[in-house]
Amino acid sequence: MSGLGTKQRILDAARTLFAEHGFPATSLREITKHAEVNLAAVNYHFGSKDGLLKELVNECIEPINTERIRLLDAAEAEAGGQPLVMRDLIRIFLEPAVRELCDQGSAMPCILSRLHHEPHAGLEEMMSDILAPTITRFVTASHRCLPHRTPEELLIRGHFMIGAMLHLLDFNCEELVPGLGINEEVISGYDFRLEQLISFCTAGFDG
Amino acid sequence: MSGLGTKQRILDAARTLFAEHGFPATSLREITKHAEVNLAAVNYHFGSKDGLLKELVNECIEPINTERIRLLDAAEAEAGGQPLVMRDLIRIFLEPAVRELCDQGSAMPCILSRLHHEPHAGLEEMMSDILAPTITRFVTASHRCLPHRTPEELLIRGHFMIGAMLHLLDFNCEELVPGLGINEEVISGYDFRLEQLISFCTAGFDG
DNA sequence: GTCTATACTCCGATAGAC
DNA sequence: GTCTATCGGAGTATAGAC
């Protein structure tokens, strides 16, 4: 934890601790102790605790949306003006997020999905700025797949999809459902979850 | 705000302020000022800020799950041993929550859906204790509707449904999507949202 | 039993020396 | 760039008044 610069050491420690205990329950004093830097360094590099969070989130979701746009461009180019297959469109939206977030050592999913439901000054605007173009593209493309659906129906279903995805990212099954014969190994696998999610949403958009 | 007892005045003020600014951003000093009670009254009646939140949540979700169980009992009695229709089963699960939460002046939905994604000591156990019997009943009943699905598939799809419902409860569309011709009045209506959610999930379980 | 006054510890933020 | 010192405000605990 000492070979890197101060800023990076703070980011690494914060990512871990936020995921473990949640954002409000993690103090800057803990973070700077783990990172072996001075307390005031956080304010110097990030302005505030919220600023630190914002940088963490930005560094995480920006590449995901870039990848979504890239895949969408490629798919639409290949389709040559024809509507996409809805299942492919949904996979383009979900797979980069699930893959990327679950490859980072399972720290960011918890942080991110919690954030979607807790307001933070300036953070929602940032998320919207990054996500809005993707959502617009998604709704437009899905309207071509399912022309019998109104834009309102497609937008609200897009939000159902986001809600389901967020819930998938951070929930653990350990807590619930005794006596149903659930195989924990099966239901914990991310491949299983992703494919189930894609199937659920694909059918949901059509239903 | 002065005719009721101290405890109730605290609960009312907290419900409003938590919904408005979020749980971490609301101080006990604000709450007690709004409720016109002494700061220490919170600790006397609820033990801690988390205890206050817990009571608020419990008082809200317990009647919802009682209603779910009641509707499920009635539907299964009426079906006389035959499997339920999946759409009816899903409505039994979703409608009490959406109706009840949206009838309370739109304060609890925000609080509740945020809570699902932020860990609080003791609160997750309480939620699990209340929700577990309902989920077990739901998975069992859905397995009778859709016998070709494994319990793992049904459980994970149940969680997708919960995620979509939570997202529906607190999201506002104002932020997003310019240029898609979205009718805000349509997409903001809870009847519209509920029926869309039920259709989305019914198809999703089958797909 | 209820409620209050007060004090304690810890938090995030900042000013200013180095 | 980094550190020390310090500030106001947060949640909490308790002794004691009614």
Side-chain angles (χ1 to χ4, degrees):
Chain A
M1 197 64 104
S2 283
L4 302 157
T6 299
K7 192 171 177 178
Q8 194 56 48
R9 289 213 304 281
I10 294 172
L11 284 170
D12 291 342
R15 195 168 19 240
T16 305
L17 293 171
F18 285 165
E20 202 163 341
H21 309 114
F23 176 78
T26 305
S27 71
L28 294 183
R29 286 167 171 83
E30 284 181 72
I31 293 171
T32 51
K33 204 172 71 178
H34 271 251
E36 298 173 30
V37 302
N38 187 274
L39 169 61
V42 174
N43 260 272
Y44 174 74
H45 284 287
F46 304 99
S48 67
K49 191 186 180 185
D50 275 307
L52 167 58
L53 179 65
K54 195 169 171 177
E55 182 126 343
L56 221 43
V57 170
N58 181 59
E59 144 186 297
C60 162
I61 68 173
E62 220 210 30
I64 291 173
N65 276 276
T66 304
E67 174 71 358
R68 281 170 172 160
I69 296 292
R70 193 188 66 78
L71 290 171
L72 195 51
D73 286 340
E76 288 183 340
E78 194 183 0
Q82 288 301 110
L84 301 181
V85 175
M86 194 59 198
R87 190 182 189 88
D88 295 338
L89 179 57
I90 285 173
R91 183 180 294 277
I92 285 170
F93 191 82
L94 293 176
E95 190 158 20
V98 176
R99 289 268 171 241
E100 179 73 13
L101 292 172
C102 298
D103 276 356
Q104 299 191 2
S106 73
M108 284 309 289
C110 312
I111 301 174
L112 255 191
S113 58
R114 286 171 199 162
L115 274 186
H116 253 276
H117 290 277
E118 190 74 41
H120 284 91
L123 213 144
E124 289 174 328
E125 296 79 32
M126 189 194 72
M127 302 268 290
S128 286
D129 288 349
I130 296 179
L131 288 175
T134 309
I135 294 189
T136 303
R137 288 282 303 269
F138 180 86
V139 174
T140 304
S142 65
H143 194 44
R144 300 195 64 217
C145 297
L146 308 170
H148 59 290
R149 292 245 167 269
T150 66
E152 289 84 5
E153 290 174 332
L154 292 169
L155 179 59
I156 195 95
R157 280 156 201 249
H159 275 281
F160 296 156
M161 178 175 70
I162 292 173
M165 183 193 74
L166 291 172
H167 200 71
L168 170 144
L169 286 177
D170 83 339
F171 103 97
N172 283 323
C173 289
E174 37 183 69
E175 343 141 344
L176 296 171
V177 292
L180 289 173
I182 298 292
N183 183 330
E184 279 227 19
E185 212 167 314
V186 169
I187 207 168
S188 298
Y190 274 103
D191 280 333
F192 172 77
R193 291 189 179 192
L194 175 61
E195 295 308 320
Q196 289 292 307
L197 179 59
I198 290 173
S199 293
F200 184 85
C201 293
T202 303
F205 266 94
D206 224 339
Chain B
M1 197 62 108
S2 284
L4 303 157
T6 299
K7 191 171 176 178
Q8 194 56 49
R9 290 213 304 281
I10 294 172
L11 284 170
D12 291 342
R15 196 173 14 244
T16 304
L17 293 171
F18 285 166
E20 202 164 340
H21 309 116
F23 175 77
T26 305
S27 70
L28 294 183
R29 286 167 170 85
E30 284 180 71
I31 294 171
T32 52
K33 204 173 71 181
H34 271 251
E36 298 173 30
V37 302
N38 186 273
L39 170 61
V42 174
N43 257 271
Y44 173 72
H45 285 287
F46 305 100
S48 67
K49 190 185 181 186
D50 274 308
L52 167 59
L53 179 65
K54 195 170 170 177
E55 183 126 340
L56 221 44
V57 170
N58 181 59
E59 144 187 297
C60 161
I61 66 172
E62 220 211 29
I64 291 173
N65 276 276
T66 304
E67 175 71 357
R68 281 169 171 162
I69 296 292
R70 193 189 67 78
L71 290 171
L72 196 50
D73 285 340
E76 288 185 339
E78 193 183 1
Q82 288 302 109
L84 300 180
V85 176
M86 193 61 196
R87 190 181 189 89
D88 296 337
L89 179 58
I90 286 173
R91 182 179 294 277
I92 286 171
F93 191 82
L94 293 176
E95 190 158 21
V98 176
R99 290 270 170 239
E100 179 72 14
L101 293 171
C102 298
D103 275 357
Q104 300 192 359
S106 74
M108 283 309 290
C110 313
I111 301 174
L112 255 191
S113 58
R114 285 172 198 161
L115 273 185
H116 254 275
H117 290 278
E118 190 73 43
H120 284 93
L123 213 142
E124 289 174 328
E125 296 80 32
M126 189 195 71
M127 302 270 288
S128 286
D129 288 349
I130 297 179
L131 288 174
T134 310
I135 293 189
T136 303
R137 287 282 302 269
F138 180 86
V139 174
T140 304
S142 65
H143 194 43
R144 299 195 63 218
C145 298
L146 308 170
H148 59 291
R149 292 245 167 268
T150 66
E152 288 86 4
E153 288 174 333
L154 292 169
L155 179 59
I156 195 97
R157 280 155 200 249
H159 275 282
F160 296 156
M161 178 176 69
I162 292 173
M165 182 193 74
L166 291 173
H167 201 70
L168 169 144
L169 287 177
D170 84 339
F171 103 96
N172 282 324
C173 290
E174 38 183 69
E175 343 141 343
L176 295 171
V177 292
L180 290 172
I182 297 292
N183 182 330
E184 278 227 17
E185 212 167 313
V186 169
I187 208 168
S188 297
Y190 273 104
D191 280 333
F192 172 77
R193 290 189 181 192
L194 175 61
E195 295 308 319
Q196 289 292 309
L197 179 59
I198 290 173
S199 294
F200 184 85
C201 292
T202 303
F205 266 95
D206 224 340

